[in-house]
Amino acid sequence: MNVPWTALLLLGLWTDWAQALDNGLALTPPMGWLHWERFLCNTDCAKDPHNCISEQLFMQMADLMVSDGWKEAGYEYVSIDDCWLADTRDAQNRLQPDPKRFPSGISKLADYVHSKGLKLGIYEDVGCQTCAGFPGSSGFYELDAHTFASWGVDLLKFDGCNYGSLDLLAEGYRNMSLALNKTGRSIVYSCEWPAYMKPFKQPNYTEIREYCNYWRNFNDIYDSWDSIKSILDWTAGCQNLIVPAAGPGGWNDPDMLIIGNFGLSWDQQITQMALWAIMAAPLIMSNDLRSIDPKSKALLQNKEVIAINQDPLGKQGYRVSKVKNFELWERPLSGGALAVAVVNRQEIGSPRYYVLPMSFLGKGLACKINCVVTQLLPTHKTMGLQNSTSAIQVLVNPTGTALLKVTAIGGTRHKLLSHSYPRQSMDIL
Ligand code: GLA
């Protein structure tokens, strides 16, 4: 069939067909704040007014997002997770927030968040109940999408508890995506479809990417190093499947940033920030912006690291090797640059040196002739001009990470397009 290209464009069938949810959103990984990991389902405002899930909590976070530099750093979505709903729908079957904890209603909260130049995210579930037992969206996808749009919601996290069957799970995720699209409002669609499907059936990421802007694949994050490790190990173990699925418009979501909470040491916080940048992960914090310590705040607002996360090429990084308890990860960046993370997975002893020959990076293309290497984490440090035969040495604390950026100079620009990993071992001191 000979179809003119203008007709293909009009039909939206140009080369990107069926690759990403075509709502023009999440061209880089979304950034924001979400209440779940830090505030869970705390509904007891009588006992704990400061920390319960209420409109006040989200208004306070919105205020701080602006006054404390979060918005300027790129964090945009203030998002509500589970436990915002009343126990029942209203007489017209519409969702309604808990009247005591959200007395002004979600529409007013959205207005408030928008008045700060931010966006509002909300939570629902594909099944008959949310994970915490509040009314789910099953049977009401169009009505709920319409309600969210009429309130001025900008992002929906759609959970997968109580879904009934795998067919209903898939159908529900597809239907909510279509229903959101039909509203005509720009609403980022965050899914947990593969996370719920994976124990029973291999998810079809081509399809998931057609319907979702980002998607959880794995367990909920906890405030612990064990949790971070399990996410990194799972991601590296499944990278052949999930890395090619990520790109502008659709991202793998390893879950919230827990930096600034209780469970991670300073080095482990650095590891989370560095690896979430390498993984092109949505940067969705769950912490208390009212009391976060200045070091964690600076880490979360580190411009150079955020720039890696938000790189416009939109390629997710991958683990290249794991040798002697060192992991090497890399992520191709726009302009032929490369981000590199060296994680020291040894949980005993002192900081250890890792020697990194330039020829080993980006299949030897990142520093084909000359390149400049800059360390971004744990501290900003220029590591000078390198060439294809030189090597650098980084010192990495136990459970910490060195994050580097390699920028080619004077050589031909190149593209690191294929994913060929893992590669084999290298010298380690
Ligand atoms: C699931 C999700 C979490 C959170 C809770 C809320 O466990 O994976 O991220 O939304 O439900 O109940």
Side-chain angles (χ1 to χ4, degrees):
M1 190 171 60
N2 195 2
V3 186
W5 68 272
T6 41
L8 284 173
L9 272 181
L10 283 172
L11 287 166
L13 292 176
W14 195 234
T15 51
D16 267 342
W17 50 13
Q19 282 185 357
L21 173 56
D22 188 20
N23 61 4
L25 300 172
L27 298 180
T28 60
M31 296 174 65
W33 182 93
L34 176 67
H35 91 244
W36 185 254
E37 192 287 322
R38 178 64 187 245
F39 295 94
L40 296 172
C41 192
N42 181 349
T43 54
D44 194 346
C45 293
K47 197 168 156 200
D48 195 5
H50 192 61
N51 296 307
C52 68
I53 308 313
S54 70
E55 62 186 31
Q56 188 192 307
L57 183 70
F58 298 96
M59 289 164 79
Q60 287 177 347
M61 294 305 158
D63 292 347
L64 289 163
M65 296 258 296
V66 177
S67 64
D68 287 6
W70 300 101
K71 182 184 163 200
E72 207 192 318
Y75 295 91
E76 189 181 17
Y77 292 91
V78 180
S79 297
I80 309 171
D81 207 287
D82 205 346
C83 305
W84 64 273
L85 283 156
D87 288 337
T88 55
R89 291 174 177 267
D90 74 6
Q92 283 82 48
N93 275 330
R94 287 174 306 202
L95 293 169
Q96 47 186 354
D98 181 277
K100 286 213 182 72
R101 294 181 286 116
F102 293 85
S104 315
I106 303 297
S107 180
K108 283 271 158 23
L109 181 57
D111 288 348
Y112 186 80
V113 168
H114 294 156
S115 76
K116 304 257 155 193
L118 298 167
K119 294 185 167 148
L120 183 73
I122 208 160
Y123 165 100
E124 244 298 357
D125 190 284
V126 72
C128 53
Q129 286 192 329
T130 72
C131 297
F134 291 87
S137 275
S138 176
F140 298 103
Y141 299 126
E142 291 222 353
L143 176 62
D144 292 354
H146 177 79
T147 304
F148 296 143
S150 73
W151 285 343
V153 163
D154 306 293
L155 180 150
L156 173 65
K157 172 175 172 177
F158 209 42
D159 210 339
C161 273
N162 308 305
Y163 57 79
S165 71
L166 285 184
D167 285 345
L168 288 175
L169 178 81
E171 200 181 295
Y173 272 103
R174 285 192 292 259
N175 284 341
M176 183 50 103
S177 182
L178 298 172
L180 291 172
N181 232 355
K182 218 168 137 186
T183 67
R185 185 173 174 83
S186 291
I187 301 178
V188 171
Y189 186 40
S190 148
C191 301
E192 296 203 30
W193 180 0
Y196 285 90
M197 176 166 263
K198 210 157 180 38
F200 311 103
K201 201 175 158 191
Q202 178 86 290
N204 174 350
Y205 283 96
T206 309
E207 184 186 20
I208 286 163
R209 191 175 155 74
E210 278 172 40
Y211 287 96
C212 306
N213 289 121
Y214 59 100
W215 49 85
R216 286 267 310 281
N217 296 307
F218 188 60
N219 300 344
D220 289 2
I221 199 162
Y222 274 60
D223 190 7
S224 75
W225 176 234
D226 275 354
S227 179
I228 300 285
K229 282 189 294 184
S230 69
I231 292 169
L232 294 180
D233 290 344
W234 186 88
T235 302
C238 294
Q239 61 189 6
N240 288 323
L241 180 67
I242 66 168
V243 168
W251 310 96
N252 291 296
D253 175 15
D255 214 357
M256 295 157 271
L257 292 164
I258 51 164
I259 294 166
N261 291 325
F262 309 99
L264 299 186
S265 72
W266 175 239
D267 287 293
Q268 293 159 4
Q269 294 183 56
I270 288 170
T271 295
Q272 190 183 29
M273 193 68 190
L275 271 292
W276 263 234
I278 292 280
M279 292 189 292
L283 295 182
I284 311 290
M285 309 177 277
S286 190
N287 48 19
D288 192 343
L289 302 180
R290 299 167 301 188
S291 58
I292 190 165
D293 73 282
K295 261 177 102 178
S296 301
K297 180 178 161 202
L299 177 60
L300 286 162
Q301 293 190 1
N302 185 309
K303 284 198 169 62
E304 291 179 307
V305 182
I306 291 175
I308 301 237
N309 175 271
Q310 296 285 302
D311 185 82
L313 187 60
K315 288 209 150 291
Q316 179 172 340
Y318 39 84
R319 194 172 71 189
V320 175
S321 66
K322 184 172 183 177
V323 180
K324 294 185 185 162
N325 266 327
F326 272 114
E327 291 187 10
L328 180 69
W329 293 66
E330 64 181 31
R331 174 178 175 185
L333 302 172
S334 50
L338 190 77
V340 177
V342 179
V343 191
N344 180 0
R345 289 287 299 264
Q346 189 160 290
E347 300 181 13
I348 189 169
S350 306
R352 290 190 302 149
Y353 283 105
Y354 185 84
V355 174
L356 195 49
M358 290 298 112
S359 60
F360 197 70
L361 297 176
K363 293 191 274 166
L365 293 173
C367 200
K368 208 173 172 187
I369 302 174
N370 290 315
C371 63
V372 168
V373 180
T374 312
Q375 181 183 282
L376 310 183
L377 290 174
T379 51
H380 180 100
K381 198 160 87 182
T382 303
M383 305 198 78
L385 187 63
Q386 303 294 328
N387 61 53
S388 58
T389 59
S390 65
I392 56 163
Q393 178 168 279
V394 287
L395 186 62
V396 195
N397 291 350
T399 71
T401 294
L403 180 67
L404 311 170
K405 184 174 176 186
V406 181
T407 311
I409 50 167
T412 40
R413 299 278 186 204
H414 50 266
K415 279 186 176 171
L416 300 170
L417 283 179
S418 63
H419 306 285
S420 68
Y421 32 79
R423 289 198 292 274
Q424 277 320 299
S425 70
M426 46 179 302
D427 286 347
I428 293 159
L429 287 181

